[in-house]
Amino acid sequence: MRNEILEYFRKANGNYVSGEQISRDLNVSRTAIWKHINILKSRGYIFESSTRKGYRLIYAPNLLTPLEIASVLHTETLGKKVVYFESTPSTNEEAKKIAREGAEEGTIVVAEEQTTGRGRLTRHFYSPFAKGIWFSVIFRPTFFPMEASKSTLLAAVGVCRGIRRLGLADAGIKWPNDILYHGKKLVGMLCEMSASMEKIDYIIMGIGINTGMKEKEFPEDFRGHATSFLNEGVNVSRRDLLAAVLAELEAEYKLAQTEGFGRVLDDWRKLSVTLGEEVCVIFGNDNYTGKAVDIDDDGCLLVDTGREVRRVMAGDVSIRPADAPIPQR
C-alpha cells in the first residue's frame, strides 16, 4: 500500500491531495494513510501538510531504495525483490552470497556506491555515490551450462536497449558486453556463474551504468575513455533508467529461455559497434589485428586477420582507429 500512496502523490505533481480523497480512491483508512506518510518521512521523503488542503509531496530522495524502484517497475520477476546498500565493496559479491543462500531468481542487489567494484579482466570499476546505477541481478536459468557464456551478450542487449529508451539512442555494444556512446564507455558488466556439469545454479550479472559524472569527475586514467548520461547532456532519472533496463533485460532473458539464443545473438549483431571495424585483440602474449566480421553461435568474435579468421573466446578487444599503430605479434 505504501507504494500505491507514494505513486498517488507523484501523480498529483506537487499539488495538495486530501486524506479523504486518498482514502476513497485507494480504499484505505485515513489512519493508515497517516502512518504510511510518517514512514515515508522517516525514509527521506518530505511532505507539506495543511489542515484544509491535505498533503503534498515536495521532495523525494535521489536514492535507488526498494520503494523508489518499486514505484516505477513494470517487470514480472526482475527487481521484485531488492537488496539495498548505501555502500558495499561489490554488489556481485553480495549477490553471490545471497544466491548461495537460496535467493530467488530476479533478486537484484543495488548500491549507491561500490568501494571495490570490478569489471572484466579484474579491472577496477569506478562506482561513486549516487553517480550511477551499480547493481547485480540473480538468474537461475534452465539452459545448459555450455550456453552460459552467451548470457553476457544477452545482458548487453537488454542494457543497451534500456539506455536507448532513456535518451542515448546511439549507444552500442563493443564485444562482448561494454556499452559505448560515441566511442566512450558508458556501461561495464561482469557476469559470474556457479554450475555443475549438468545444471546452472545461478548466474550473477553485475552492471554499472554511469549516469551523473562530468568528465573532470572521472579518475584521470578514465578521462577521454569513459562517459555518462550527464556528460552527454542528458539528465536521466536513475530509477526510470533502472526500470527500463530491467524490463529490456527480462524480455531478452525470456527469449533465451523459451527460444534459445538465436534471436538474442541477432539482436546483439544489430546493436554492435564492433562488427565491421578494425580491431586489436590482446590475449596474454597473443596480440593481433584484423576486421571483426561476425560472432558465431557461441557468441565468440570472428576476426579476419587477412591470413585467417580467428575465433576470439576471451581477451581484450579494442576498436582500432585507422591511424593506430599495429601491435607487435
Side-chain angles (χ1 to χ4, degrees):
M1 179 53 63
R2 197 169 306 130
N3 289 334
E4 286 84 350
I5 292 173
L6 181 59
E7 184 61 19
Y8 196 96
F9 278 106
R10 289 190 189 282
K11 289 180 178 178
N13 293 318
N15 295 314
Y16 281 100
V17 289
S18 70
E20 181 181 355
Q21 182 181 347
I22 302 172
S23 176
R24 182 176 61 252
D25 291 347
L26 298 183
N27 193 27
V28 62
S29 72
R30 295 179 68 174
T31 300
I33 292 167
W34 178 80
K35 288 180 179 178
H36 283 301
I37 287 175
N38 280 337
I39 292 172
L40 289 169
K41 285 179 178 179
S42 72
R43 296 182 180 178
Y45 295 86
I46 299 176
F47 292 86
E48 193 173 76
S49 61
S50 167
T51 53
R52 291 191 303 169
K53 298 178 181 178
Y55 305 92
R56 69 185 183 116
L57 177 65
I58 60 175
Y59 174 79
N62 181 30
L63 298 175
L64 292 174
T65 61
L67 197 60
E68 283 293 304
I69 294 169
S71 70
V72 293
L73 198 63
H74 299 288
T75 55
E76 293 180 10
T77 304
L78 300 196
K80 293 298 184 181
K81 174 69 181 297
V82 178
V83 178
Y84 173 78
F85 295 91
E86 285 197 353
S87 179
T88 189
S90 163
T91 59
N92 260 31
E93 291 304 314
E94 295 290 350
K96 284 190 287 186
K97 177 183 176 183
I98 64 172
R100 289 192 293 265
E101 295 169 351
E104 62 194 67
E105 178 171 70
T107 299
I108 67 171
V109 177
V110 181
E112 299 298 343
E113 72 171 349
Q114 295 181 111
T115 55
T116 58
R118 293 178 294 118
R120 289 182 64 244
L121 308 177
T122 69
R123 291 171 176 155
H124 172 65
F125 194 91
Y126 182 56
S127 319
F129 192 91
K131 295 286 188 176
I133 305 175
W134 327 120
F135 70 108
S136 299
V137 188
I138 297 174
F139 290 93
R140 298 192 184 276
T142 56
F143 50 75
F144 291 112
M146 67 182 67
E147 295 192 285
S149 62
K150 289 179 277 191
S151 62
T152 189
L153 280 72
L154 179 160
V157 172
V159 174
C160 190
R161 283 182 164 170
I163 284 169
R164 285 182 165 206
R165 278 173 51 182
L166 269 291
L168 295 183
D170 293 336
I173 306 169
K174 180 176 80 71
W175 187 89
N177 61 1
D178 282 343
I179 309 299
L180 305 186
Y181 187 76
H182 294 171
K184 295 183 179 182
K185 186 170 178 176
L186 180 70
V187 180
M189 301 186 208
L190 177 63
C191 293
E192 300 181 282
M193 177 181 73
S194 173
S196 63
M197 291 293 291
E198 299 83 18
K199 180 178 179 292
I200 296 173
D201 181 18
Y202 61 78
I203 292 176
I204 307 296
M205 291 184 183
I207 300 165
I209 307 173
N210 300 328
T211 59
M213 288 171 279
K214 285 290 193 179
E215 180 85 11
K216 64 182 180 181
E217 295 180 272
F218 284 102
E220 191 170 344
D221 55 342
F222 285 34
R223 293 174 197 167
H225 307 288
T227 192
S228 72
F229 272 80
L230 184 62
N231 200 51
E232 299 299 336
V234 178
N235 190 13
V236 71
S237 160
R238 291 194 302 148
R239 67 189 181 101
D240 290 347
L241 177 58
L242 178 57
V245 165
L246 289 174
E248 295 290 350
L249 190 55
E250 182 172 88
E252 211 66 21
Y253 179 65
K254 284 181 179 178
L255 192 61
Q257 287 276 76
T258 57
E259 299 183 21
F261 278 89
R263 285 177 58 188
V264 172
L265 297 182
D266 285 341
D267 290 342
W268 188 96
R269 291 181 178 99
K270 293 172 186 175
L271 295 168
S272 172
V273 296
T274 303
L275 298 184
E277 299 294 331
E278 291 292 321
V279 297
C280 174
V281 180
I282 301 174
F283 183 62
N285 294 322
D286 189 15
N287 298 353
Y288 57 93
T289 61
K291 185 175 183 179
V293 293
D294 201 358
I295 52 173
D296 65 14
D297 290 343
D298 294 320
C300 297
L301 185 66
L302 302 179
V303 177
D304 186 349
T305 67
R307 295 193 298 271
E308 61 180 336
V309 175
R310 299 190 61 170
R311 185 171 182 259
V312 183
M313 300 176 64
D316 190 12
V317 175
S318 58
I319 299 172
R320 191 170 68 89
D323 58 351
I326 298 174
Q328 296 298 312
R329 299 181 185 178

